[in-house]
């Protein structure tokens, strides 16, 4: 008899389920967080003042996701009302300080703001400027990385120890019930997490079984959130792609946050570009300085970290990008447009992006036999153009 095919256990992602996920900008005071927030959102929110705690309450804005494919679809469909891009929600969170986990510098409030987001942009200052105060007295990015890492880990140890106490109350009842057995397994997991944190590691950079992920998600740990390290360089260093701290930063990330992304950028340059009115003006400045903006890369890599992707709806009225979590099925994707579309889902009519670009219009795609009909078990593929049929009609 042939061997039984192994049942593949569905992978559960760390963090909240859903499509509307949020990113927070984190770092020490005066490293460029608020200026970066203003540049990426192109709005006047945030407070880039030259003193600690200029930002108290987090600011929120939605960032347009640059998408050449959406622009190409607009060329093909020529929608009457235009295009609607995808967005990424970003929070500007106040600067942390050493001792934040113990309440220093309004730390507990700031850490609760980090707990409320799904992923972190950590801004690390790598430029010297006598006019911009550094809260620690001098520029030392590895020390700054240690401070942020330690504060988040110490708070997670506190969260984990409280969680362990509640679990142990049940295990102490004794007996062989399923609940007690499950809680004993949970207690062993939490003890592993506490030791991991004490050893200087982040929860997000480890491998976890699906059942373990369910427990970790319930704990809402700060170090379970994906991180992108944004290395804030002077404009000169960014243009010449050199900085004396970069090698040490990479060594630190490889040791304490392995697998996470490092993106060098220059808040100074991004601020200048954000004040220009048109794409043409920005492209001209990029040519003049000899370097391109890093913001598109920063936005798209965060979407990847959050496990987000797009599908499109397109027609004579509108071309729109819809944000979904990777791996969801057609009815749930339809529900992003309207919950009733999910409830009364019938089928998805799917065109691949490459096919519409090659053949130029839907009629040609249909004539070539490339319009696909998908049912409720179809996992939505990146860059699909979809019309959903439901009990309410077409989307």
């Amino acid at each position: 008899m042939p061997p039984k095919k192994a049942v593949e256990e569905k992978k559960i992602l760390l963090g909240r389920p859903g499509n509307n996920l949020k990113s927070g900008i984190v770092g020490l005071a005066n490293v460029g967080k608020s200026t970066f927030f203003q540049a990426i959102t192109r709005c006047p929110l945030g407070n880039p003042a030259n003193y600690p705690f200029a930002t108290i309450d987090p600011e929120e804005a939605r960032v347009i996701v640059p998408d050449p494919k959406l622009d190409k679809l607009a060329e093909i469909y020529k929608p009457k009302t235009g295009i609607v891009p995808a967005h990424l929600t970003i929070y500007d969170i106040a600067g942390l300080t050493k001792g934040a986990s113990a309440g220093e510098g309004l730390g507990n409030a700031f850490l609760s703001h980090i707990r409320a987001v799904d992923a972190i942009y950590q801004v690390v200052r790598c430029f010297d400027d006598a006019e911009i105060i550094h809260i620690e007295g001098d520029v030392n990015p590895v020390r700054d990385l240690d401070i942020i890492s330690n504060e988040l880990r110490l708070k997670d140890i506190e969260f984990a120890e409280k969680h362990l106490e509640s679990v142990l109350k049940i295990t102490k009842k004794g007996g062989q019930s399923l609940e007690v057995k499950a809680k004993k397994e949970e207690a062993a997991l939490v003890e592993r997490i506490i030791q991991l944190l004490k050893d200087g590691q982040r929860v997000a950079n480890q491998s976890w079984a699906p059942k373990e992920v369910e427990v970790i998600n319930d704990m809402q740990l700060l170090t379970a959130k994906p991180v992108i390290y944004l290395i804030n360089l002077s404009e000169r260093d960014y243009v010449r792609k050199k900085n004396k701290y970069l090698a040490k930063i990479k060594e630190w990330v490889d040791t304490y946050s392995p697998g996470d992304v490092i993106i060098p950028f220059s808040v100074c340059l991004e601020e200048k570009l954000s004040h220009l009115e048109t794409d043409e003006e920005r492209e001209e400045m990029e040519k003049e300085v000899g370097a391109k903006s890093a913001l598109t890369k920063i936005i798209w890599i965060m979407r990847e970290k959050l496990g987000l992707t797009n599908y499109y709806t397109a027609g004579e009225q509108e071309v729109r990008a819809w944000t979904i979590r990777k791996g969801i099925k057609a009815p749930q994707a339809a529900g992003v447009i309207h919950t009733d579309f999910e409830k009364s889902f019938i089928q998805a009519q799917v065109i691949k992006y490459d096919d519409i670009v090659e053949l130029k219009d839907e009629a040609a795609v249909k004539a070539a036999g490339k319009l696909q009909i998908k049912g409720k078990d179809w996992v939505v593929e990146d860059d699909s153009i979809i019309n959903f049929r439901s009990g309410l009609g077409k989307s």
Side-chain angles (χ1 to χ4, degrees):
M1 292 180 63
K4 288 184 179 180
K5 188 176 181 181
V7 177
E8 186 177 343
E9 200 164 8
K10 184 179 179 181
K11 184 178 180 182
I12 301 175
L13 297 173
L14 281 173
R16 293 189 306 130
N19 309 304
N20 185 25
L21 304 181
K22 301 172 288 188
S23 304
I25 304 170
V26 172
L28 296 182
N30 294 351
V31 297
K33 300 186 309 302
S34 293
T35 307
F36 164 62
F37 177 76
Q38 290 186 344
I40 198 169
T41 60
R42 293 183 185 168
C43 73
L45 295 173
N47 186 1
N50 184 20
Y51 54 86
F53 312 125
T55 302
I56 301 297
D57 297 319
E59 301 279 9
E60 175 188 359
R62 294 203 309 166
V63 177
I64 291 174
V65 178
D67 189 351
K69 290 181 178 178
L70 191 66
D71 296 333
K72 186 66 178 177
L73 290 175
E75 288 179 19
I76 294 169
Y77 283 89
K78 298 178 176 57
K80 293 176 182 177
T81 58
I83 65 175
V84 181
H87 291 84
L88 180 67
T89 303
I90 295 182
Y91 285 79
D92 180 23
I93 297 173
L96 289 174
T97 61
K98 189 185 294 184
S101 59
E104 295 292 330
L106 303 178
N108 283 327
F110 298 163
L111 289 166
S112 72
H113 298 154
I114 298 173
R115 204 176 192 192
V117 300
D118 302 286
I120 294 169
Y121 284 122
Q122 184 167 331
V123 180
V124 184
R125 177 175 166 179
C126 288
F127 65 90
D128 295 299
D129 189 329
E131 295 183 3
I132 301 178
I133 302 164
H134 193 293
I135 197 168
E136 292 295 316
D138 64 340
V139 175
N140 184 337
V142 171
R143 176 206 56 213
D144 295 353
L145 285 164
D146 279 333
I147 290 172
I148 299 294
S149 173
N150 289 339
E151 296 307 322
L152 299 187
R153 286 189 304 101
L154 287 170
K155 202 64 185 177
D156 272 357
I157 290 170
E158 181 185 323
F159 291 146
E161 287 177 341
K162 287 181 180 177
H163 188 88
L164 182 60
E165 286 178 15
S166 66
V167 173
L168 291 177
K169 284 179 183 177
I170 298 173
T171 63
K172 287 176 181 177
K173 293 179 182 178
Q176 298 298 318
S177 70
L178 291 176
E179 182 191 22
V180 170
K181 182 181 177 183
K183 289 298 179 182
K184 284 181 179 179
E185 293 175 355
E186 185 172 337
L189 170 63
V190 178
E191 287 170 350
R192 277 172 51 207
I193 290 170
I194 292 170
Q195 188 57 55
L196 177 86
L197 293 165
K198 288 180 177 179
D199 290 341
Q201 297 298 310
R202 286 174 19 87
V203 172
N205 302 104
Q206 316 302 315
S207 295
W208 304 102
K211 288 183 180 179
E212 294 173 333
V213 170
E214 290 180 2
V215 173
I216 293 168
N217 286 347
D218 187 53
M219 293 169 70
Q220 299 180 54
L221 298 174
L222 302 172
T223 64
K225 302 177 188 299
V227 174
I228 295 173
Y229 295 95
L230 300 181
I231 312 307
N232 186 10
L233 308 176
S234 67
E235 184 177 327
R236 176 176 177 271
D237 282 0
Y238 179 66
V239 170
R240 68 193 187 109
K241 299 181 180 178
K242 289 184 180 180
N243 181 274
K244 61 185 177 181
Y245 300 113
L246 288 176
K248 291 180 180 179
I249 290 170
K250 185 178 186 308
E251 182 181 349
W252 187 94
V253 172
D254 287 347
T255 302
Y256 298 107
S257 198
D260 281 324
V261 178
I262 300 169
I263 303 178
F265 80 125
S266 170
V267 160
C268 179
L269 176 60
E270 300 297 352
E271 183 183 26
K272 291 177 184 177
L273 291 169
S274 71
H275 289 154
L276 299 175
E277 294 292 329
T278 66
D279 290 340
E280 289 74 17
E281 288 177 311
R282 283 186 281 274
E283 288 171 8
E284 188 61 35
M285 177 175 277
E286 287 174 337
K287 287 178 183 177
E288 287 177 10
V289 301
K292 287 186 173 291
S293 167
L295 295 187
T296 296
K297 181 178 182 180
I298 287 169
I299 292 167
W300 274 97
I301 290 182
M302 178 54 79
R303 281 168 57 86
E304 290 173 11
K305 279 281 190 178
L306 288 168
L308 300 175
T309 188
N310 281 350
Y311 73 84
Y312 303 100
T313 53
E316 63 179 18
Q317 290 298 321
E318 174 187 90
V319 173
R320 181 188 287 250
W322 300 89
T323 298
I324 57 170
R325 202 79 180 264
K326 288 184 179 180
I328 73 170
K329 293 181 179 179
Q332 290 72 49
V336 174
I337 300 174
H338 197 290
T339 53
D340 287 343
F341 285 150
E342 178 177 355
K343 294 173 186 175
S344 58
F345 174 87
I346 296 172
Q347 65 178 210
Q349 299 173 347
V350 182
I351 296 173
K352 291 185 177 180
Y353 172 81
D354 289 343
D355 290 339
I356 195 73
V357 170
E358 178 188 353
L359 298 172
K360 306 305 180 188
D361 63 52
E362 284 194 9
V365 171
K366 292 175 183 177
K370 293 190 174 183
L371 175 67
Q372 302 176 10
I373 305 300
K374 301 291 185 180
K376 64 181 181 179
D377 291 327
W378 178 64
V379 175
V380 176
E381 297 171 358
D382 291 354
D383 302 330
S384 297
I385 299 101
I386 308 176
N387 271 324
F388 293 104
R389 286 193 62 222
S390 73
L392 302 178
K394 279 193 175 185
S395 63

